[in-house]
Every structure is written in structure tokens, then in C-alpha cells.
């Protein structure tokens, strides 16, 4: 099946620094990737939709200058949390949409998540 | 707009007992429906999905779900719970059939606890 990886799996940083999280589709090309945020014991909240070669589409209330998304290739999207603060601490999950016809109907496959802790 | 409601944020069953996790959806167009499982500190794994055809869908690990349009429901069941089933379960809906603008909307999740 389609595999999506994330790196790093966890990161601890100081307040004010920037953190980059990578999301890779390992065995397929994903024209669309999604970034989600999950607070403890809560559901996934979609942050943005990332399309290869174009600007990401952010959900309402998500600061695009805070959460920079780059989808430079068909297998890699990155999320950079700029000037991170403790309230940015969360579990960040990416997903990649499989082209319709490969797994059927544009199904999404999820990465294992990245735990960000900002001190 | 679409929404997903999962009744019961926490469900506890005995090992060997029936598992029933409820999911109701609201969508202006016929949806695709999904159930995902999440183990601690991990991403989401697809259990099963409904797109078209047979309304009773079988998934991995012995789970199945039935799409009932008249009830706008997609409840997840498993005849006999196993300790390894303890996890968080999310129901999700994709209301635009595979289009480029399609996005998943998740329910709030149900934590399944399995006791001896």
C-alpha cells in the first residue's frame, strides 16, 4: 500500500525558533498533501491543503505566515512552524492523496505524525 | 457544508464483546465515508471505506460498517473485541466524490477501551 513518512517523529525546541517538518510519499506521487493539527484527545483539524507547484490553501483561522508550507515536488511537502511558541505545541500529521485510480477515488494516506514541543 | 458526529467520546467493552461505534454524518451530496484508527502517538490507519456499491463494508482487523442512507449513519462494528483494538477511532466524510477540492471532515473521535 501507499506509504507516507514524516520527519522528525518528535522535536523539542526553544520558543522563538523555527521548526521544519517533512512529509514524503514514498511509493507514489502525490499532487495534493494535507497538513493537520491534533491537540491531545481531540480530532484532527485541517490546517492547509498543499498542491505541488502552487501556494498552499489555508483553512480559516490558520496563519499562513506562521505555518509555512512548501510542496516543491510530487513526493515532498514541508511545514515550517516559524517563531514557535508553547501554544504551537501539538501533534502534526500530514496526509497525501493518492491519484484517483491508484487506490481508488483519491484516497488519503496518513503519515505517522510529528510531536512538537515548544519550551 | 458537511459534518460528522460520533456519539460517545469513550466506549468501554469487555474482551470478546461486541464493539459498536456510532457515526452520523451530514452532507449536501452523497458522501464517501471512512473509518480510521489511531494508536497512541501514531498517525491514522484506514480501517474501511464506503464509496459506492454494497452498503455493508468489511475492513481490516475484523471490523465492518454499514452505510444507511435513510439514517445518515455509518456505524462501525466488530463481533468480538480484542485487547489490541484499544485505540482512538475516527469517522470521516468526504462529500465531493474524489474531486480535486475534496477534503476529509473528521468526527471528534471515540476512544475504545477493552477490558478483561
Amino acid at each position: 500500500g501507499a506509504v507516507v513518512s514524516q520527519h522528525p517523529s518528535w522535536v523539542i525546541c526553544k520558543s522563538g525558533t523555527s521548526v521544519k517538518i517533512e512529509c514524503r510519499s514514498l511509493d507514489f506521487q502525490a499532487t495534493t498533501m494535507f497538513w493537520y493539527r491534533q491537540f491531545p484527545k481531540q480530532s484532527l483539524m485541517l490546517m492547509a491543503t498543499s498542491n505541488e507547484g502552487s501556494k498552499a490553501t489555508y483553512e480559516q483561522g490558520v496563519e499562513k505566515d506562521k505555518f509555512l508550507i512548501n510542496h516543491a515536488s510530487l513526493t515532498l511537502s514541508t511545514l515550517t512552524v516559524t517563531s514557535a511558541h508553547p501554544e504551537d505545541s501539538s501533534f502534526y500529521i500530514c496526509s497525501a492523496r493518492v491519484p484517483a485510480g491508484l487506490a481508488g477515488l483519491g484516497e488519503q494516506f496518513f503519515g505517522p505524525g510529528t510531536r512538537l514541543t515548544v519550551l | 457544508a458537511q459534518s460528522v458526529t460520533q456519539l460517545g467520546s469513550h466506549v468501554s467493552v469487555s474482551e470478546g464483546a461486541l464493539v459498536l461505534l456510532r457515526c452520523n454524518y451530514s452532507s449536501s451530496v452523497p458522501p464517501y465515508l471512512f473509518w480510521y484508527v489511531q494508536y497512541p502517538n501514531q498517525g491514522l490507519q484506514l480501517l474501511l471505506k464506503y464509496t459506492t456499491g454494497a452498503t455493508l463494508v468489511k475492513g481490516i482487523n475484523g471490523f465492518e460498517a454499514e452505510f444507511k442512507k435513510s439514517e445518515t449513519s455509518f456505524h462501525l462494528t466488530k463481533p468480538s473485541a480484542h485487547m489490541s483494538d484499544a485505540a482512538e477511532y475516527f469517522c470521516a466524510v468526504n462529500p465531493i466524490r474524489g474531486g480535486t477540492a475534496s477534503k476529509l471532515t473528521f468526527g471528534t473521535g471515540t476512544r475504545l477501551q477493552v477490558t478483561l
Side-chain angles (χ1 to χ4, degrees), chain A residues 58-111:
Chain A
Y58 290 81
E59 295 299 302
Q60 190 173 9
V62 178
E63 300 176 60
K64 61 181 181 180
D65 295 329
K66 174 75 170 176
F67 299 100
L68 300 178
I69 292 174
N70 186 301
H71 194 156
S73 76
L74 288 172
T75 59
L76 173 64
S77 176
T78 60
L79 168 67
T80 301
V81 183
T82 62
S83 187
H85 290 281
E87 57 266 29
D88 299 323
S89 298
S90 191
F91 195 53
Y92 292 88
I93 302 175
C94 75
S95 71
R97 185 157 61 200
V98 179
L102 184 58
L105 307 160
E107 183 176 322
Q108 290 185 37
F109 288 84
F110 288 80

Side-chain angles (χ1 to χ4, degrees), chain A residues 38 43 59 97 107 112 115, chain B residues 41 46 49 100 102-103 107:
Chain A
Q38 186 180 32
S43 188
E59 295 299 302
R97 185 157 61 200
E107 183 176 322
R115 172 80 54 197
Chain B
N41 295 310
L46 181 67
K49 63 181 178 183
T100 56
S102 61
K103 296 183 291 188

Side-chain angles (χ1 to χ4, degrees), chain B residues 4-6 22-25 33-36 74 89-93 105-109:
Chain B
V4 179
T5 302
Q6 290 184 240
R22 299 178 185 274
C23 173
N24 288 85
Y25 69 90
L33 294 159
F34 305 82
W35 274 100
Y36 290 90
F74 191 57
Y89 291 80
F90 292 97
C91 182
V93 60
T105 298
F106 287 88
T108 52

